[in-house]
């Protein structure tokens, strides 16, 4: 459906209807939990007949049930131009399956230097052991990536904004260079989701989400997805089947449930995070705020050009001070939890040390770095909490 003015439906509308096929929901509003391992057949002939036609038909639990198909379908619908989606038990499992569907021994991966740390470990651990080399590249390389593409380069993995430091990558320029050389492109799109950055429409071949974050949205389930452009889905699905990948029906149900409010949640995460980021930028204890929507941030112009908005995760660099002073700030926060992950309804603060996860780029931060996930609490309450934290930092520093 299109609106009278010819524009496609808004995200807030699309996330409500996505994946809710009547034959799977049977009239129930949100696709319910269909748990299964064994599926029973009426006869040997039916059992044999089904083998060659398992797509969206009950076959065996590992191939999923309408609970998984509904969420996968919904995520495909949210990526204009995509062919299909496969779901995984975590974001890292999704990244691993996507890379293994593309790379073979002897191939080389170009991996952004600001990638999520477990992605780096996958490349330097398992992939290396399988005879797949990795070269890291500067997140701001843009079209300059063409010079790094060699004989064996088979894939380029992007993540934009980068983990911890939020550099925004010039995805269209990297995709153009990759296409010219027949190299497959992948992106970890967890921060933006397809609502803020439709990766397939930007020419990316495989887009990966840690659904654990904004899709689930309530910090109560682990889930991952890979959505493929036409021509890339069959190999992704076959690889994932061969790896025995299946996301649990219960967790997919939580994913579908979270998805319905994702557009509205993202708007609030964006507004609150921006308000807090701008406030932090004015505080004397803060050397720099690492948020893609702030002028001067690495890749800010690309962000304005390509993204439809920001989500709720960003970092800031303290002015001087050491690890102990940073801990004084974080430990006393009352409204921010201290913990990994993000994308839920609750705010989190995490001490991070980006330089430990860099191979080809260096940082000279003025002090320790804190990453904030801004949840759905009132932003002024969060600012008051952070203000008290910066006072503690100041005293601990002296
Ligand atoms: C959390 C995260 C992942 C991994 O997701 P899990 O579900 O925790 O495995 C991948 N990429 C990014 C950018 C993340 O923040």
């Amino acid at each position: 459906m299109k609106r009278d003015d010819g524009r496609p439906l808004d995200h807030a509308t699309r996330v409500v209807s996505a994946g809710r096929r009547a034959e799977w929901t049977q009239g129930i509003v949100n696709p319910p939990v269909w748990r299964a391992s064994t599926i029973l057949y009426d006869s040997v002939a039916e059992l044999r007949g089904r083998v060659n036609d398992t797509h969206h038909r009950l076959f065996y639990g590992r191939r999923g049930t309408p609970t998984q198909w509904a969420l996968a379908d919904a995520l495909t619908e949210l990526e204009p131009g995509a062919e299909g989606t496969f779901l995984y038990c975590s974001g890292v499992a999704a990244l691993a399956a996507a890379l293994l569907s593309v790379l073979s021994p002897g191939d080389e991966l170009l991996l952004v230097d600001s990638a999520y740390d477990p992605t780096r470990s996958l490349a330097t651990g398992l992939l290396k052991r399988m005879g797949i080399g990795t070269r890291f590249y500067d997140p701001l390389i843009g079209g300059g990536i063409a010079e790094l593409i060699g004989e064996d380069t088979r894939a380029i993995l992007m993540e934009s904004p980068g983990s911890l430091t939020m550099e925004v990558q010039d995805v269209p320029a990297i995709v153009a260079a990759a296409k010219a050389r027949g190299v497959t492109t992948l992106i970890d799109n967890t921060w933006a989701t397809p609502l803020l950055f439709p990766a397939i429409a930007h020419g990316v071949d495989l887009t990966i989400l840690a659904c654990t974050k904004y899709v689930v949205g309530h910090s109560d389930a682990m889930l991952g997805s890979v959505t493929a452009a036409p021509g890339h889905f069959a190999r992704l699905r076959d690889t994932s089947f061969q790896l025995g990948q299946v996301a649990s029906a219960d967790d997919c149900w939580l994913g579908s449930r979270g998805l319905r409010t994702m557009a509205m949640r993202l708007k609030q995460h964006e507004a609150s995070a921006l308000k807090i980021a701008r406030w932090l930028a004015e505080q004397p204890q803060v050397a720099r705020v690492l948020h893609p929507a702030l002028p001067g941030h690495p890749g800010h112009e690309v962000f304005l050009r390509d993204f439809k908005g920001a989500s709720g995760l960003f970092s800031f660099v303290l002015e001087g001070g050491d690890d102990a002073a940073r801990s004084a700030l974080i430990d006393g926060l009352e409204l921010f939890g201290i913990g990994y992950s993000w994308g839920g309804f609750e705010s989190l603060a995490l001490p991070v040390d980006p330089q430990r996860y860099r191979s080809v780029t260096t940082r000279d931060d003025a002090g320790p770095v804190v990453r904030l996930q801004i949840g759905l609490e009132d932003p002024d309450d969060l600012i008051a909490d952070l203000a008290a934290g910066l006072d503690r930092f100041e005293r601990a520093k002296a």
Side-chain angles (χ1 to χ4, degrees), residues 12-29:
T13 311
R14 288 159 63 217
V15 293
V16 167
S17 61
R20 287 172 50 203
R21 288 196 203 182
E23 74 257 38
W24 296 341
T25 60
Q26 312 266 322
I28 294 168
V29 171

Side-chain angles (χ1 to χ4, degrees), residues 62 86 88 93-94 96-101 126 236-246:
R62 196 171 352 92
F86 203 98
Y88 303 86
L99 287 168
L100 290 173
S101 78
L126 178 71
L236 172 75
R237 187 190 50 210
D238 291 348
T239 303
S240 303
F241 281 158
Q242 286 160 20
L243 286 167
Q245 288 290 358
V246 58

Side-chain angles (χ1 to χ4, degrees), residues 102-149:
V102 174
L103 296 162
S104 301
D107 289 347
E108 181 191 63
L109 167 70
L110 297 181
L111 176 56
V112 65
D113 207 22
S114 50
Y116 182 58
D117 176 35
T119 307
R120 298 174 61 94
S121 304
L122 172 65
T124 57
L126 178 71
L127 294 187
K128 182 170 180 222
R129 197 150 57 69
M130 318 281 329
I132 298 161
T134 294
R135 266 190 301 158
F136 290 94
Y137 66 88
D138 186 330
L140 301 176
I141 198 166
I145 194 109
E147 285 158 40
L148 292 187
I149 298 176

Side-chain angles (χ1 to χ4, degrees), residues 13 30 76 107 142 158 172 176 210 227 242 269 284 287 305-306 350 367 389 391:
T13 311
N30 193 47
T76 305
D107 289 347
M158 299 169 274
T227 299
Q242 286 160 20
H269 286 300
R305 186 191 68 194
D306 294 346
L350 194 70
D391 284 347

Side-chain angles (χ1 to χ4, degrees), residues 90-93 95 116 119 159 163 188 190 210 212-213 222-223 341-342 371:
S90 72
V92 167
L95 280 156
Y116 182 58
T119 307
E159 183 182 325
S163 272
D188 182 332
T190 302
T212 307
K213 313 291 166 58
M222 305 291 300
L223 208 57
S341 203
W342 47 279
R371 190 186 75 178

Side-chain angles (χ1 to χ4, degrees), residues 145-392:
I145 194 109
E147 285 158 40
L148 292 187
I149 298 176
E151 280 283 285
D152 299 327
T153 308
R154 196 74 54 225
I156 300 172
L157 177 55
M158 299 169 274
E159 183 182 325
S160 181
S163 272
L164 313 185
T165 43
M166 307 282 149
E167 300 89 341
V168 184
Q169 293 192 249
D170 191 338
V171 174
I174 291 172
V175 164
K179 282 199 195 300
R181 301 284 295 275
V183 173
T184 302
T185 51
L186 305 91
I187 191 168
D188 182 332
N189 199 29
T190 302
W191 186 89
T193 82
L195 303 193
L196 304 180
F197 185 80
I200 302 286
H202 275 95
V204 177
D205 296 315
L206 294 163
T207 175
I208 298 127
L209 293 182
C211 299
T212 307
K213 313 291 166 58
Y214 288 125
V215 173
V216 168
H218 295 72
S219 306
D220 50 8
M222 305 291 300
L223 208 57
S225 68
V226 182
T227 299
H232 293 268
F233 185 62
R235 185 147 165 182
L236 172 75
R237 187 190 50 210
D238 291 348
T239 303
S240 303
F241 281 158
Q242 286 160 20
L243 286 167
Q245 288 290 358
V246 58
S248 95
D250 299 78
D251 292 339
C252 290
W253 168 72
L254 284 168
S256 278
R257 191 184 221 265
L259 189 67
R260 307 302 162 204
T261 56
M262 188 168 81
M264 298 311 289
R265 284 187 283 110
L266 279 174
K267 275 186 192 161
Q268 190 59 53
H269 286 300
E270 173 181 44
S272 297
L274 263 175
K275 182 170 193 180
I276 292 167
R278 290 187 177 125
W279 175 82
L280 278 169
E282 286 168 3
Q283 306 312 305
Q285 300 92 338
V286 175
R288 201 180 172 103
V289 177
L290 309 176
H291 189 305
L294 295 192
H297 182 76
H300 173 66
E301 278 71 32
V302 172
F303 173 78
L304 292 181
R305 186 191 68 194
D306 294 346
F307 284 65
K308 297 177 179 176
S311 63
L313 187 81
F314 67 95
S315 302
F316 65 94
V317 183
L318 286 157
E319 186 67 65
D322 56 8
D323 183 51
R326 173 173 63 180
S327 295
L329 187 172
I330 295 173
D331 284 341
L333 292 172
E334 291 181 27
L335 302 178
F336 289 79
I338 305 169
Y340 294 110
S341 203
W342 47 279
F345 54 81
E346 83 295 6
S347 291
L348 298 169
L350 194 70
V352 296
D353 300 297
Q355 190 52 52
R356 285 175 49 196
Y357 311 107
R358 291 290 187 278
S359 302
V360 296
T361 48
T362 49
R363 301 192 58 81
D364 59 353
D365 291 321
V369 183
V370 178
R371 190 186 75 178
L372 296 179
Q373 126 83 9
I374 302 302
L376 302 178
E377 304 91 341
D378 180 79
D380 293 322
D381 290 343
L382 296 174
I383 285 175
D385 202 17
L386 289 168
L390 290 176
D391 284 347
R392 282 190 302 277

